[in-house]
Amino acid sequence: MSVFRTPQVILLSDDLPRAVDFYRRLGFTETFRVPTDGEPTHVDLVLDGYKIGIASAASTRDDHGLDPVTDGHRAAVILWTDDTAAAYEALVAGGAPARASPYAWLGRLLIAWTADPDGHPLQIVQPLTRPARAQR
């Protein structure tokens, strides 16, 4: 059996430049792009050691012969923070959809939900050290 390393999630996008711009605004840094010049078909970004890739649905179909699904909730990106309410408010004010305002979960976490431009759910999570003031 082979040994695996460096796992990564690839999100499919119908508008790759828009998706890359969204994740850059969240603090992700671009680490890889194909092609290096012109309209990209795949971009990798990293935040705090975690890498995600964004690939164009057209490239996935045309270059790899797959039939990608680009709608619905296919994956979720989880972002930990020290202030879920403030992060959620900033994302929504910046145009992200308001899916679920901050609420306490399991008595240990404060969670909110929004989405990236392609509809992938984004869960904003904060560990609670004292009772939460949920906005619900």
Side-chain angles (χ1 to χ4, degrees), residues 24-38:
R24 279 188 184 145
R25 288 193 314 266
L26 295 180
F28 282 80
T29 302
E30 185 175 316
T31 62
F32 176 81
R33 171 182 289 252
V34 172
T36 55
D37 295 318

Side-chain angles (χ1 to χ4, degrees), residues 44-134:
D44 287 346
L45 302 119
V46 68
L47 175 66
D48 198 25
Y50 184 77
K51 186 188 297 184
I52 62 171
I54 304 172
S56 75
S59 170
T60 303
R61 185 174 28 262
D62 301 341
D63 298 340
H64 303 290
L66 300 176
D67 187 20
V69 175
T70 59
D71 61 343
H73 297 158
R74 301 153 324 275
V77 175
I78 312 307
L79 298 171
W80 290 84
T81 183
D82 293 328
D83 190 340
T84 292
Y88 175 79
E89 288 173 18
L91 283 165
V92 171
R99 295 273 169 85
S101 58
Y103 60 94
W105 188 59
L106 301 176
R108 299 186 317 232
L109 301 171
L110 186 63
I111 294 176
W113 290 90
T114 183
D116 74 9
D118 290 294
H120 298 106
L122 270 125
Q123 183 187 63
I124 313 302
V125 185
Q126 169 189 347
L128 294 174
T129 55
R130 58 188 183 283
R133 294 181 312 164

Side-chain angles (χ1 to χ4, degrees), residues 3-24:
V3 176
F4 298 104
R5 62 180 171 75
T6 320
Q8 176 180 356
V9 171
I10 304 293
L11 303 174
L12 302 178
S13 176
D14 285 322
D15 188 341
L16 190 100
R18 177 188 67 181
V20 169
D21 185 53
F22 176 84
Y23 282 98
R24 279 188 184 145

